[in-house]
Amino acid sequence: MLANMRSLPLWIMFSGFFFINCGANMVIPFFGIYLTKYMHLSPAQAGMVLTVTVGTPRAMALFGGSVADRFGIRRSMLCGLGILIFSALGYAFSQSLWAFVLNAFITGVGYSLFTPAGKAAVAAMTAEESRVLAFSLRNMAVNIGAAAGPVVGMLITVEALRTTFLLTSFVYFAFLLLVWLFLRIERGGRDSPSASVSFAVIKNLVRVFNDKRLLVFSVLIIAFYIMLAQFSLVLPLFAADRFAAQSEIGMLFTGNALLMIAAQYPPLAVFSRYFTAAHIAVIGVILTAAGIGSAAFAGQFAYLVSVTLVIFTIGQSLIMPSIDTVVADLAPDGLAASYQGFAGLAAAVGGILGNTIGGALYGWAKNHEWISHVWGLYFAAGLFCCLLYAVLQRTVNRREERGSG
């Protein structure tokens, strides 16, 4: 039975997303310093550990989602949380490069099992008309955790980061107990392999890649994560090059997190009355692209915080829950986690393209003194992706109409 928005299991999920992200962000901002200064790894070795940490869950998201559909959403979440507990304890007692790399990989496996299943659980516990708001609250919990984690981490000195890992493992264990005690996903009658899906994992993957509607929507997912890469990589470089604002760059990320918390729910509550989740996603991409493009008019760093940051974050607050909602709505029964895993894979593609092409384009513009004009290209890229999505979606709709006729 679908739960309403006031149900205890749903709010346990929201609190769990908060604690998971709070626990992770207690460590992430200080991890590189810990590895280089206290574990005596080189910057390149620390980069390797961080790359494995970030890359593994993205690369394995589709596989993790398929496992959840095959063996049960609840089982996948419990397994993922158990692995995260083990890896956090492993980090606390690691002393060598390869021990950290191994734990980074194990952590990625844990997240790849937990994250798609967690999103599928939210979708399973909410009615379709409430889904966009449910995912909005989920993202709000994630952002509050991301904002609170570094504050808690600062209370623990970097040299005592081992204590933070132990605290993180306790947080994961507490959430595991809550999932085990209270969460019951009723998908097809019961949370079991036979009820989840009758296909093997490999057949799930084939079916996901054969869904033309999902493939078309992935254009918007990729477009957003390309824009997000410009916000995370290119905008700070521009702030440092143009305004010598190295010490103030943190304001962009702090402001983004705080505004995401404040603006996550109200705009969606309004937009969802008049637009479908897919249309809201298009609006979100346009706004994030416009936010990045607005940097062309920056005359001082304060402009980036007051204009670029605000426009970008409003778009981000619209598109992130809309992506989860559209993917959940597209997923047939028994493939919800696989579809969320595919969305994670599309996000990884967007991130890779955004960081490589976007960074290279900025470097070229800087060398050719064209830096003030390159922002228009980023904006045009966002608009092009929206237009491409509209054309492809219209083509798919026509083919489906002909097939049904």
Side-chain angles (χ1 to χ4, degrees), residues 220-277:
L220 291 182
I221 301 176
I222 292 171
F224 165 65
Y225 280 92
I226 288 175
M227 294 302 121
L228 185 61
Q230 310 319 304
F231 181 85
S232 302
L233 174 65
V234 175
L235 203 61
L237 291 176
F238 174 68
D241 292 337
R242 177 58 62 88
F243 308 115
Q246 293 90 336
S247 59
E248 290 85 10
I249 287 173
M251 293 176 61
L252 290 172
F253 296 93
T254 302
N256 177 253
L258 294 177
L259 188 56
M260 277 290 291
I261 295 169
Q264 182 70 78
Y265 188 84
L268 269 176
V270 175
F271 275 82
S272 60
R273 295 177 185 174
Y274 306 103
F275 301 101
T276 66

